[in-house]
């Protein structure tokens, strides 16, 4: 995943399908099907040659490619006086982005979204920073988005809102009188009410989700946590096990685990392992086994804990010293936020400690780089690695885990070591599932993965890959949108719902 320099491979993947023999086949042009789709997310995968590819953008882009529509969100720029929205048309999709003012950026993105909601949604009450002023900025930006979106809305547009930045967006649109079908999908974990209720104003914020027609989660646990919140805190009548009444509407709750384009990513890995870049990396390893970790620099990813585990592995399994290299690729992220600078320092210290204690003049046990790599480069590295270390302390899904599996050679696959606290663990059940807080256990899993017999590696990989194919990325978008499109358009808002909007 991660940042995408949008190298040519990725551009080609975005435009068409790879054939096994390397020819690129243009995919069918988007065919508008049913009502127009309007996607709203904080980040937008604008095809400007500099697109980033966070998990969310990678997931949404193919859905819009197939179906066409509008993708609205933040431009990624901060301006003193934001001008009018910018529009780019490409492949039947209209990308519309707006700048944020400095105050809005500080209070919305660096403030409430990423210093209050992000830690709480990742079960980290200890890292949450609460200020009322920041909630004000968060609501203000949602309102600002709503004011732009309403200028382009048609009455029968289907609106699909993504992630924790935009929880109150439907409420802001309903308050402006829009009755469109609006769905919400949260890409990150949704914690139990016992954690969520530590959020000041949780009642104001979380009940805003009731203004959507469909609310989707990555796993059944996340969905059940939300249902429990609704039951405990909102006292709304249930229509059945997975939908409840809110005013004149029924809100449907569902689980829609995000997938990857398994076959296409596999083909990308197969080609990329032959690239000059991957060959150069492999040559530099001088035949040593490679362990790979790829994560945004974020405390939820458990990177220092993973490095502690690697250190335990080197201490407990001395035969492997000098025979293995752990490559950790970690582009910096959210660097305006103090907790992210802290994690950067911690990781740097762990790298220095491990290389200092175990390194030799001829061997660096741990290579740590902050440079972002293209998806094709990552696909090739995944395929070349003997072990994929994906050990977040908490993660909504984690598409690196799925892409690692998709990129493997089925005849000689690497082994995925996966945190039980990542959403992907619900599908990749044949990975070595570990507790990321337990360095001894993860160290043992590294040894087991490196020593695993070929037959077991093949069997585990086949099971995981079959799970990916069953839930390919295209199914995710289709299932969510089919559920949303079945919902009746909202009738006049019930007074109860109107009061809640006030
Ligand atoms: O879902 C997590 C998320 O917010 C995604 O939207 C995005 O892929 C990733 O984190 C990157 O975060 P940011 O947009 O803050 O750089």
């Amino acid at each position: 995943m991660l940042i995408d320099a949008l190298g040519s491979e990725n551009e080609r993947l975005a435009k068409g399908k790879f054939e096994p023999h390397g020819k690129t086949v243009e995919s069918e042009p988007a065919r508008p099907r049913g009502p127009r789709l309007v996607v709203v997310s904080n980040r937008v995968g604008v095809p400007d040659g500099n697109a980033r590819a966070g998990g969310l953008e990678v997931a949404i882009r193919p859905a819009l490619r197939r179906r066409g529509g509008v993708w609205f969100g933040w431009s990624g720029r901060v301006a003193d006086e934001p001008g009018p929205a910018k529009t780019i048309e490409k492949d039947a999709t209209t990308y519309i982005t707006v700048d944020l003012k400095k105050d809005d950026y500080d209070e919305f993105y660096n403030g409430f979204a990423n210093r209050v909601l992000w830690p709480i949604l990742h079960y980290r009450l200890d890292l949450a920073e609460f200020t009322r002023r920041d909630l004000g900025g968060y609501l203000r930006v949602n309102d600002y988005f709503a004011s732009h979106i309403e200028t382009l809305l048609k009455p029968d547009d289907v609106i699909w809102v993504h992630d924790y930045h935009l929880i109150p967006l439907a409420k802001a649109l309903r308050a402006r009188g829009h009755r469109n079908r609006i769905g919400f999908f949260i890409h990150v974990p949704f914690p139990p009410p016992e954690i969520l209720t530590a959020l000041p104003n949780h009642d104001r914020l979380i009940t805003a989700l009731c203004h959507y027609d469909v609310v989707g989660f990555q796993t059944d646990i996340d969905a059940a946590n939300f249902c429990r919140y609704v039951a405990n805190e909102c006292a709304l009548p249930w229509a059945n096990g997975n939908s409840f009444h809110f005013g004149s509407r029924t809100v449907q709750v569902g689980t829609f685990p995000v997938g990857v384009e398994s076959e296409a990513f596999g083909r990308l890995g197969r080609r990329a392992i032959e690239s000059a870049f991957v060959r150069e990396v492999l040559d530099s390893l001088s035949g040593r086994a490679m362990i790979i970790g790829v994560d945004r620099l974020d405390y939820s990813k458990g990177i220092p804990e993973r490095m502690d585990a690697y250190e335990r592995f080197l201490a407990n399994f001395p035969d492997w010293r000098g025979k293995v290299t752990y490559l950790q690729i970690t582009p910096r992220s959210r660097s305006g936020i103090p907790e992210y600078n802290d994690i950067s320092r911690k990781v740097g210290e762990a790298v220095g400690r491990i290389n200092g204690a175990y390194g030799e003049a001829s061997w660096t046990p741990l290579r740590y780089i902050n440079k972002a790599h293209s998806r094709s480069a990552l696909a090739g590295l995944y395929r070349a690695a003997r072990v994929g270390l994906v050990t977040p302390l908490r993660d909504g899904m984690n598409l690196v885990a799925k892409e690692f599996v998709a990129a493997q050679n089925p005849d000689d696959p690497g082994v995925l070591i996966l945190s039980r606290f990542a959403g992907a663990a619900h599908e990749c059940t044949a990975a070595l599932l570990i507790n990321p807080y337990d360095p001894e256990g993860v160290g043992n899993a590294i040894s087991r993965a490196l020593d695993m017999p070929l037959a077991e590696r093949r069997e585990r990989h086949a099971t995981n890959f079959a799970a990916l194919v069953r839930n390919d990325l295209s199914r995710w978008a289709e299932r969510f949108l089919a559920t949303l499109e079945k919902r009746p358009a909202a009738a006049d808002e019930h007074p109860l719902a109107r009061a809640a909007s006030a």
Side-chain angles (χ1 to χ4, degrees), residues 42-43 52-57 74 109 114 118 163-165 187-188 296 333-334:
N42 182 51
R43 298 276 187 188
R52 306 149 25 87
L56 179 147
E57 292 155 70
W74 178 38
Y109 179 78
N114 284 324
W118 178 271
D163 232 358
Y164 62 99
H165 311 88
H187 292 250
V188 299
R296 219 166 27 80
S333 163
R334 304 178 189 166

Side-chain angles (χ1 to χ4, degrees), residues 291-292 301-317 320 326 328 387-393 415-421 432-451:
I291 300 175
I292 193 165
K301 304 293 181 186
I303 303 167
E305 292 79 359
R306 187 184 309 169
M307 290 183 172
D308 289 350
Y310 182 61
E311 196 172 12
R312 292 313 310 148
F313 160 75
L314 292 176
N316 293 346
F317 300 94
W320 276 106
Y326 166 23
Q328 176 65 46
V387 179
L389 263 185
V390 184
T391 62
L393 303 179
V415 178
L416 175 64
I417 297 181
L418 178 60
S419 165
R420 56 180 299 159
F421 303 126
L432 293 183
L433 296 181
I434 51 87
N435 169 6
Y437 293 94
D438 170 16
E440 205 75 18
V442 179
N444 291 344
I446 294 174
S447 152
R448 186 170 165 206
L450 288 167
D451 283 329

Side-chain angles (χ1 to χ4, degrees), residues 29-310:
R31 276 172 293 133
R33 274 182 281 148
R36 186 174 72 154
L37 173 63
V38 176
V39 170
V40 189
S41 58
N42 182 51
R43 298 276 187 188
V44 176
V46 179
D48 58 2
N50 291 313
R52 306 149 25 87
L56 179 147
E57 292 155 70
V58 167
I60 294 173
R61 207 181 277 150
L64 271 166
R65 205 160 69 219
R66 265 189 307 277
R67 176 173 170 141
V70 175
W71 191 351
F72 178 90
W74 178 38
S75 63
R77 281 184 295 272
V78 178
D80 288 342
E81 270 315 313
K86 290 185 188 56
T87 303
I88 296 181
E89 302 272 353
K90 192 163 184 211
D91 297 338
T93 300
T94 309
Y95 300 83
I96 306 176
T97 56
V98 289
D99 300 341
L100 286 182
K101 283 188 188 163
K102 175 82 171 68
D103 280 0
D104 289 345
Y105 172 71
D106 287 343
E107 294 174 27
F108 163 76
Y109 179 78
N110 275 342
F112 194 76
N114 284 324
R115 287 197 78 191
V116 182
L117 269 180
W118 178 271
I120 292 178
L121 293 171
H122 288 83
Y123 296 60
R124 294 299 299 269
L125 293 180
D126 57 318
L127 293 180
E129 177 68 37
F130 305 98
T131 68
R132 259 171 208 284
R133 187 164 161 265
D134 282 344
L135 177 57
Y138 179 81
L139 296 173
R140 192 170 65 241
V141 170
N142 272 269
D143 217 54
Y144 170 63
F145 272 29
S147 69
H148 273 279
I149 293 164
E150 76 168 346
T151 62
L152 59 94
L153 270 191
K154 299 178 188 164
D156 62 346
D157 282 345
V158 166
I159 307 170
W160 191 7
V161 179
H162 291 262
D163 232 358
Y164 62 99
H165 311 88
L166 300 176
I167 290 172
L169 191 69
K171 183 173 169 182
L173 287 168
R174 302 277 185 229
R176 291 172 151 77
H178 297 284
R179 297 180 199 165
N180 302 56
R181 277 162 292 187
I182 315 181
F184 179 79
F185 182 79
I186 185 156
H187 292 250
V188 299
F190 196 89
E194 290 73 14
I195 288 181
L196 208 51
T197 47
L199 174 69
N201 296 318
H202 63 87
D203 43 348
R204 208 166 146 208
L205 188 69
I206 305 302
T207 52
L209 288 172
C210 302
H211 292 264
Y212 290 94
D213 297 290
V214 176
V215 182
F217 298 88
Q218 297 273 26
T219 69
D220 288 343
I221 293 176
D222 299 309
N225 285 341
F226 176 61
C227 291
R228 216 148 62 75
Y229 181 93
V230 170
N232 295 358
E233 303 291 326
C234 309
L236 292 166
W238 286 86
N240 57 44
N242 54 17
S243 57
F244 60 88
H245 299 294
F246 181 67
S248 57
R249 281 178 307 104
T250 307
V251 181
Q252 177 144 4
V253 182
T255 304
F256 306 87
V258 177
V260 294
E261 294 179 292
S262 351
E263 305 281 357
F265 200 81
R267 285 193 292 272
L268 188 60
R270 199 155 66 220
R271 287 164 55 88
I273 199 168
E274 304 298 339
S275 68
F277 165 74
V278 176
R279 281 182 181 282
E280 203 181 326
V281 174
L282 289 178
D283 286 349
S284 74
L285 296 178
S286 310
R288 295 185 180 97
M290 176 165 64
I291 300 175
I292 193 165
V294 178
D295 310 80
R296 219 166 27 80
L297 185 52
D298 192 296
Y299 49 80
S300 65
K301 304 293 181 186
I303 303 167
E305 292 79 359
R306 187 184 309 169
M307 290 183 172
D308 289 350
Y310 182 61

Side-chain angles (χ1 to χ4, degrees), residues 270-469:
R270 199 155 66 220
R271 287 164 55 88
I273 199 168
E274 304 298 339
S275 68
F277 165 74
V278 176
R279 281 182 181 282
E280 203 181 326
V281 174
L282 289 178
D283 286 349
S284 74
L285 296 178
S286 310
R288 295 185 180 97
M290 176 165 64
I291 300 175
I292 193 165
V294 178
D295 310 80
R296 219 166 27 80
L297 185 52
D298 192 296
Y299 49 80
S300 65
K301 304 293 181 186
I303 303 167
E305 292 79 359
R306 187 184 309 169
M307 290 183 172
D308 289 350
Y310 182 61
E311 196 172 12
R312 292 313 310 148
F313 160 75
L314 292 176
N316 293 346
F317 300 94
D319 286 354
W320 276 106
R321 291 183 203 161
K323 297 185 189 136
V324 66
T325 298
Y326 166 23
L327 171 63
Q328 176 65 46
I329 299 179
T330 304
R332 294 189 189 286
S333 163
R334 304 178 189 166
S335 43
I337 298 177
E339 291 75 24
Y340 286 76
N341 297 330
D342 292 348
I343 198 75
S344 175
R345 188 182 31 78
K346 268 193 196 151
V347 173
E349 284 168 6
V351 175
R353 190 182 67 236
I354 294 168
N355 285 336
Y358 292 97
E360 303 282 350
S362 57
W363 173 55
T364 306
L366 201 175
R367 293 184 189 177
Y368 172 60
I369 49 184
N370 294 124
K371 190 175 165 187
H373 287 62
S374 71
R375 295 186 74 223
S376 65
L378 293 178
L381 292 174
Y382 293 154
R383 194 171 175 101
R386 287 271 296 275
V387 179
L389 263 185
V390 184
T391 62
L393 303 179
R394 191 67 61 175
D395 217 331
M397 175 51 62
N398 199 302
L399 296 183
V400 168
K402 290 188 168 182
E403 290 187 341
F404 177 82
V405 171
Q408 295 309 306
N409 173 359
D411 295 331
D412 184 16
V415 178
L416 175 64
I417 297 181
L418 178 60
S419 165
R420 56 180 299 159
F421 303 126
H426 294 251
E427 290 163 89
C428 296
T429 51
L432 293 183
L433 296 181
I434 51 87
N435 169 6
Y437 293 94
D438 170 16
E440 205 75 18
V442 179
N444 291 344
I446 294 174
S447 152
R448 186 170 165 206
L450 288 167
D451 283 329
M452 191 178 283
L454 178 62
E456 184 180 349
R457 283 193 277 129
R458 281 187 181 160
E459 204 177 306
R460 286 177 180 272
H461 173 261
T463 307
N464 284 335
F465 190 74
L468 298 195
V469 171

